[in-house]
């Protein structure tokens, strides 16, 4: 069996070695040939310079050439042509082969060209390419060519190669034409509940990773962060309609009666191994009733799981209340991907609190600030300033930045950053005003470690770095809860660093250093215009 195993890379190398090369036609080894032409060029050039100097001294016309001079000029031209190939035709051939290989990977064949035309003229739906071709990468290439032809605009710069399009089919994205590259940085170690984590962050904003990393250093030097998961409910809230408000209120009382909860829970929980109903709360608008089901969903973020379970409950309720009209499985009382007070108050996903005590010496040495300055800034900016703005869960410096960066790196839904970034940052002086007690309270961190974008190779690698990849082997939901605490702990680190930068007037200077080009654009424009 071992002898039958083959290494694809070694096979490729062997195949390359078997390919004929231009240097095979040379009578001598390549390095000898290169050396010969190198010295030939300079020797002939030196000989001709000496001959021309003698002609000038003896008043002999330069265009009158002897046989030796003519032969030397021809040899000089020949060696120059060889040297233009950068020490031989071997380099020229390898470059040409690489260009030909690159052209081969992106060239549309005759069959593909007809498919592109079919997509352009509408005879073949673009969305059906993967199904018809059974080749997701080829489908993306044809769709890409069709888009360029239809719009008259190039997609050059948007990568196509190097991505597993099969892995996202019917899962993450449709109508693919390539993928976007986002750099991933790491911060840490983040000392959270006595364990060190290196946290990946995907972002295009300069300073964000550096700033969060400084916060992690501050926390580490002070003994770390302690986290608490208060609640873990995913929610789904369908809207139903009745002929009258009286009938709607009867269903409300029925659902909120503790005697009926067990029946609802049995029906709800039958839909999945992990869905477990926690509570049902109702809101009314006339004869319309909004049913907010809260449930645990294991290590999945759980939106689809909750929706499936809710549909089963609605089918049961339809029998008990035949005049009920189920308008939609989501009535926005959930509330998903929207800034809503219900999430800020009741929570959605993981409700997490993180706290740390930062020593006076660390505040001075690492943050280059003081306890009194940070306390005052937090009150005036994060609390009073956000209240003046009418913020909804936005009582923080920039929690959204850290949440989005970790979400993108670990395959979470970036749109759920809306509610997941709801956060109130508290900074208080303790120990006779010398040290700082810092905390972040985040009631709606919506994360999962299975399903969705977590299955992609790059995102799975980032989850693996944190030790939360896939479903937890012990307690159901342990990995997703841990990921939520890592997000909150990283937010605390970012809050500390940014607040100190603002307090000490370093915000603008740091962004100008890390997040702006140092190139003189005005000078470049003048140069290009001239």
């Amino acid at each position: 069996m071992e002898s039958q195993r083959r290494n694809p890379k070694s096979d490729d190398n062997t195949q390359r070695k078997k390919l004929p090369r231009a240097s095979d036609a040379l009578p001598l080894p390549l390095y000898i040939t290169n050396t010969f032409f190198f010295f030939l060029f300079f020797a002939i050039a030196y000989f001709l310079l000496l001959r021309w100097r003698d002609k000038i001294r003896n008043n002999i016309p330069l265009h009158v050439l002897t046989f030796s001079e003519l032969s030397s000029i021809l040899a000089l031209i020949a060696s120059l042509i060889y040297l233009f190939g950068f020490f031989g035709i071997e380099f020229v051939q390898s470059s040409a082969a690489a260009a030909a290989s690159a052209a081969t990977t992106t060239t549309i064949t005759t069959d593909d060209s007809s498919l592109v035309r079919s997509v352009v003229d509408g005879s073949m739906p673009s969305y059906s390419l993967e199904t018809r071709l059974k080749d997701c990468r080829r489908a993306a290439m044809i769709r890409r060519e069709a888009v360029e032809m239809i719009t008259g605009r190039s997609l050059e710069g948007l990568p196509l190669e190097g991505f597993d399009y099969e892995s996202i089919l019917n899962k993450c994205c449709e109508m693919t034409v390539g993928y976007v590259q986002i750099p991933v940085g790491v911060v840490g170690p983040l000392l959270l509940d006595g364990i060190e984590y290196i946290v990946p962050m995907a972002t295009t904003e300069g300073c964000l990773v550096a700033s969060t990393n400084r916060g992690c250093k501050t926390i580490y030097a002070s003994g770390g962060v302690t986290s608490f998961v208060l609640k873990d409910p995913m929610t789904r809230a369908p809207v139903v309609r009745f002929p009258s408000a009286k009938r709607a209120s009867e269903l409300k009382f029925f659902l909120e009666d503790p005697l009926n909860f067990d029946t609802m829970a049995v029906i709800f929980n039958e839909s999945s191994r992990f869905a477990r109903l926690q509570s049902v709360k109702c809101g009314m608008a006339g004869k319309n009733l909004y049913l907010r089901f809260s449930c645990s969903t294991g290590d999945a973020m759980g939106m689809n799981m909750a929706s499936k379970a809710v549909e089963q409950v609605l089918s049961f309720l339809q029998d008990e209340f035949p005049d009920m009209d189920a308008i939609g499985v989501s009535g926005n009382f959930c509330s998903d991907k929207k800034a809503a007070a219900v999430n800020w108050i009741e929570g959605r996903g993981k409700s997490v609190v993180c706290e740390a005590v930062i020593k006076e010496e660390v505040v001075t040495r690492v943050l280059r600030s003081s306890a009194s300055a940070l306390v005052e800034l937090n009150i005036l900016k994060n609390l009073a300033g956000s209240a003046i703005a009418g913020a909804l869960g936005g009582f923080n410096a920039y929690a959204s930045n850290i949440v989005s960066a970790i979400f993108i790196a670990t395959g979470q839904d970036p749109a759920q950053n809306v509610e997941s970034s709801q956060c109130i940052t508290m900074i208080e002086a303790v120990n006779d005003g010398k040290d700082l007690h810092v905390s972040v309270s985040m009631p709606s961190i919506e994360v999962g470690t299975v399903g969705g974008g977590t299955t992609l190779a790059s995102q799975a690698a980032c989850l693996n770095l944190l030790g939360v990849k896939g479903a937890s082997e012990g307690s159901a939901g342990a990995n997703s809860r841990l990921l939520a605490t890592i997000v909150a702990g990283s937010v605390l680190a970012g809050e500390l660093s940014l607040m100190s930068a603002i307090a000490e007037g370093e915000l603008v200077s740091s962004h100008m250093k890390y997040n702006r080009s140092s190139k003189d654009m005005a000078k470049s424009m003048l140069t290009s215009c001239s």
Side-chain angles (χ1 to χ4, degrees):
M1 292 295 293
E2 291 294 332
S3 61
Q4 294 177 358
R5 294 180 182 174
R6 302 180 65 186
N7 187 334
K9 292 185 178 180
S10 62
D11 290 347
D12 290 343
N13 293 334
T14 303
Q15 187 176 4
R16 291 193 192 100
K17 291 178 181 178
K18 292 179 180 179
L19 292 174
R21 296 178 296 178
S23 58
D24 296 339
L26 298 174
L28 296 173
L30 184 61
Y31 74 94
I32 296 179
T33 307
N34 285 340
T35 303
F36 171 77
F37 277 99
F38 183 86
F39 285 104
L40 178 66
F41 174 80
F42 287 101
I44 293 175
Y46 182 72
F47 169 75
L48 290 175
L49 289 174
L50 291 178
R51 292 291 298 163
W52 290 338
R53 185 189 64 178
D54 292 340
K55 287 186 175 184
I56 292 173
R57 288 178 176 177
N58 298 323
N59 294 323
I60 300 175
L62 295 178
H63 64 275
V64 177
L65 300 176
T66 63
F67 178 77
S68 61
E69 291 172 343
L70 183 60
S71 300
S72 297
I73 291 174
L74 294 175
L76 182 70
I77 294 173
S79 60
L80 185 62
I81 292 173
Y82 184 91
L83 292 175
F84 267 135
F86 194 69
F87 298 114
I89 49 182
E90 179 86 357
F91 176 81
V92 176
Q93 187 193 36
S94 62
S95 299
S101 176
T104 302
T105 59
T106 57
T107 299
I108 296 291
T109 65
T110 303
D111 292 339
D112 290 341
S113 297
S114 62
L115 289 173
V116 171
R117 289 192 295 271
S118 298
V119 173
V120 172
D121 62 28
S123 59
M124 177 181 290
S126 177
Y127 60 80
S128 68
L129 286 171
E130 282 80 4
T131 303
R132 297 194 181 192
L133 299 178
K134 308 298 182 183
D135 185 340
C136 293
R137 181 217 162 267
R138 185 184 174 201
M141 179 178 66
I142 291 171
R143 183 179 296 111
R144 181 190 184 104
E145 291 288 328
V147 168
E148 290 184 328
M149 189 175 296
I150 292 170
T151 62
R153 297 182 182 276
S154 172
L155 283 173
E156 183 180 0
L158 181 69
L160 176 68
E161 304 297 337
F163 189 82
D164 182 7
Y165 294 96
E166 304 286 344
S167 67
I168 64 173
L169 183 62
N170 299 325
K171 293 180 181 179
C172 300
C173 185
E174 302 79 39
M175 307 278 283
T176 52
V177 294
Y179 60 96
V180 174
Q181 297 169 311
I182 301 178
V184 177
V186 292
V187 301
L190 171 67
L191 184 56
L192 177 69
D193 298 324
I195 302 176
E196 297 180 6
Y197 298 94
I198 300 297
V199 183
M201 298 175 65
T203 181
T204 56
E205 179 181 351
C207 246
L208 178 61
V209 172
S211 177
T212 309
N213 195 56
R214 182 172 74 150
C216 289
K217 180 180 179 181
T218 302
I219 292 169
Y220 194 97
S222 296
V225 177
T226 304
S227 69
F228 308 92
V229 178
L230 307 179
K231 292 191 291 185
D232 184 9
M234 180 46 62
T235 64
R236 180 52 92 194
V239 54
V240 298
R241 183 171 56 197
F242 285 89
S244 66
K246 179 178 181 295
R247 286 291 289 160
S249 64
E250 290 175 358
L251 177 57
K252 171 181 168 63
F253 295 141
F254 175 85
L255 289 173
E256 294 181 348
D257 187 343
L259 297 177
N260 297 323
F261 179 81
D262 289 343
T263 302
M264 295 298 103
V266 170
I267 298 170
F268 190 100
N269 298 347
E270 284 178 348
S271 65
S272 168
R273 290 185 300 149
F274 299 103
R276 295 294 178 265
L277 184 64
Q278 296 177 354
S279 66
V280 184
K281 293 186 178 181
C282 301
M284 280 185 63
K287 60 182 182 178
N288 304 302
L289 188 65
Y290 299 82
L291 322 175
R292 193 172 195 260
F293 293 85
S294 299
C295 64
S296 59
T297 56
D299 283 302
M301 184 271 289
M303 283 294 302
N304 293 334
M305 191 184 302
S307 298
K308 179 182 177 183
V310 164
E311 285 186 338
Q312 288 195 184
V313 174
L314 289 177
S315 296
F316 168 80
L317 291 176
Q318 194 75 65
D319 295 334
E320 297 294 320
F321 295 83
D323 54 343
M324 181 186 77
D325 184 9
I327 302 300
V329 72
S330 175
N332 275 9
F333 188 38
C334 311
S335 171
D336 185 43
K337 301 171 186 174
K338 287 165 281 292
V342 67
N343 293 335
W344 176 240
I345 297 170
E346 298 289 343
R348 188 171 195 258
K350 279 67 175 171
S351 298
V352 182
V353 176
C354 283
E355 65 176 352
V357 175
I358 311 300
K359 301 175 183 177
E360 178 186 27
E361 183 269 336
V362 177
V363 173
T364 304
R365 176 174 54 86
V366 182
L367 297 179
R368 298 189 296 274
S369 187
S370 65
S372 59
L374 291 175
V375 169
E376 180 181 35
L377 178 63
N378 188 67
I379 293 173
L380 295 179
K381 170 182 167 60
N382 289 343
L383 304 183
S386 296
I388 291 290
L392 182 58
F395 300 92
N396 57 81
Y398 74 154
S400 177
N401 266 10
I402 288 88
V403 171
S404 294
I406 299 178
F407 269 32
I408 295 172
T410 59
Q412 311 305 312
D413 189 339
Q416 289 184 320
N417 168 68
V418 176
E419 59 267 42
S420 296
S421 295
Q422 289 185 329
C423 169
I424 182 169
T425 300
M426 301 294 292
I427 302 179
E428 303 173 22
V430 295
N431 300 330
D432 297 325
K434 296 180 181 179
D435 302 334
L436 283 178
H437 180 277
V438 185
S439 68
V440 292
S441 300
M442 306 179 68
S444 303
I445 302 179
E446 299 169 352
V447 293
T449 58
V450 297
T454 66
T455 61
L456 299 178
S458 301
Q459 288 81 344
C462 290
L463 289 170
N464 188 57
L465 177 64
L466 294 170
V468 295
K469 177 183 175 182
S472 54
E473 297 180 358
S475 174
N479 279 354
S480 60
R481 288 191 292 271
L482 176 54
L483 177 58
T485 62
I486 291 172
V487 171
S490 301
V491 167
L492 192 149
E495 293 287 281
L496 269 174
S497 183
L498 178 61
M499 291 294 286
S500 62
I502 295 175
E504 301 307 311
E506 298 175 346
L507 177 65
V508 175
S509 61
S510 61
H511 274 77
M512 292 302 294
K513 179 179 179 181
Y514 291 101
N515 202 28
R516 292 291 182 270
S517 172
S518 59
K519 184 177 180 180
D520 189 341
M521 298 305 295
K523 183 177 180 180
S524 299
M525 290 179 65
L526 290 174
T527 303
S528 62
C529 290
S530 61

